[in-house]
Amino acid sequence: MTVIQVDGVFNVRDVGGMPTESGRIREGKLLRSGSLVAATDTGIAELHKRVAHVVDLRDGKEVAAAPSATKTIATTHLPLFLGSVASFFDNDLSLEQMYRQLLEESGERLVDAIRVIARGESTLVHCTVGKDRTGVTVALALAAVGADRDAVIADYALTASQLPEERNRKIVMFLETQHPEAKHAVALATLSPAEVMRSMLDEVDERWGSAAEYLTMNGLTAAELADLRTALVED
């Protein structure tokens, strides 16, 4: 995986290069990031060089409050949370609980996002921070094509180090004011512990058999799964 500098956008990287059961993940095919709201003209030009399609996992309110700075890259909007982002803080969910809820409630939407990746275009997946919704989607896509589990987990864990310190400082202050009793709020907003992703992938295996089987149970066809492998894996 390669961290990419895109002016005005944080947490951008290409997951290409990680080993798989039969080769490695292609470079330039699957990218991930935080939102594109603050992308500068230079950043937008860089995105155009690298990205043919964007998958935006934010809900309508998030998009309205922070619209993407680029209007010229084809974009698929797929709100992944069935509830609001605020509800996770209100209910003081842990990261593990949030990811379990995504798996249980948003399987068809996760499949819809992964269908876009399977088309084979250079695809950028993002949400607001590029940590949770993006992290789960990208991890499932990679796991489904046999990417090395430790590499998938390492990619997820890298996110915490890519979040701007000033952003974290402001959001921690806000959360301490708005949710003073919440035990999980700061972790929910700022952390990406390796053990959380390892636990999620282990749970997928235990409950559904594998990431590929999870996706097929939620509507991904055998042909689409084969397309995903073709799109992402090179011998």
Side-chain angles (χ1 to χ4, degrees):
M1 56 194 158
T2 304
V3 175
I4 300 169
Q5 299 303 314
V6 176
D7 197 37
V9 186
F10 62 82
N11 196 23
V12 188
R13 57 189 179 273
D14 181 342
V15 302
M18 65 175 65
T20 70
E21 295 164 349
S22 60
R24 67 175 201 156
I25 299 297
R26 297 182 192 275
E27 295 179 0
K29 284 297 181 181
L30 179 55
L31 287 74
R32 55 180 296 173
S33 74
S35 83
L36 310 181
V37 62
T40 65
D41 289 345
T42 300
I44 292 170
E46 185 66 24
L47 290 171
H48 273 277
K49 291 178 185 177
R50 296 178 179 271
V51 177
H53 203 105
V54 171
V55 178
D56 185 345
L57 301 174
R58 300 175 300 160
D59 65 31
K61 288 184 178 179
E62 292 173 282
V63 173
S68 176
T70 175
K71 311 297 182 187
T72 50
I73 300 175
T75 299
T76 299
H77 292 280
L78 287 170
L80 209 53
F81 289 148
L82 298 187
S84 69
V85 174
S87 68
F88 293 103
F89 296 101
D90 292 337
N91 297 325
D92 196 23
L93 295 187
S94 66
L95 283 167
E96 290 90 343
Q97 290 171 320
M98 178 200 281
Y99 296 172
R100 185 173 299 116
Q101 188 167 319
L102 275 174
L103 291 171
E104 292 174 347
E105 297 183 356
S106 299
E108 292 182 1
R109 296 181 186 213
L110 284 161
V111 165
D112 284 340
I114 288 170
R115 280 194 178 106
V116 178
I117 300 168
R119 295 175 190 164
E121 297 178 289
S122 297
T123 302
L124 171 69
V125 179
H126 80 85
C127 49
T128 293
V129 181
K131 181 170 78 74
D132 303 311
R133 289 165 285 188
T134 298
V136 170
T137 302
V138 169
L140 287 172
L142 292 170
V145 300
D148 178 78
R149 177 152 299 190
D150 288 338
V152 174
I153 292 166
D155 171 62
Y156 166 81
L158 182 62
T159 285
S161 68
Q162 301 299 305
L163 303 184
E165 291 183 10
E166 181 62 14
R167 175 260 175 199
N168 285 351
R169 186 185 67 79
K170 288 180 178 178
I171 201 164
V172 167
M173 289 178 61
F174 172 81
L175 292 171
E176 288 174 347
T177 300
Q178 298 297 315
H179 303 278
E181 305 301 321
K183 297 178 181 178
H184 303 293
V186 172
L188 212 61
T190 64
L191 301 183
S192 58
E195 61 269 21
V196 170
M197 180 52 66
R198 188 177 300 278
S199 175
M200 189 203 84
L201 292 172
D202 287 346
E203 182 170 348
V204 169
D205 289 347
E206 291 165 9
R207 295 179 62 182
W208 291 280
S210 67
E213 289 178 87
Y214 169 81
L215 295 174
T216 57
M217 288 179 188
N218 282 282
L220 196 72
T221 68
E224 288 169 333
L225 182 59
D227 288 343
L228 184 67
R229 290 194 182 102
T230 300
L232 291 184
V233 179
E234 62 182 1
D235 295 331

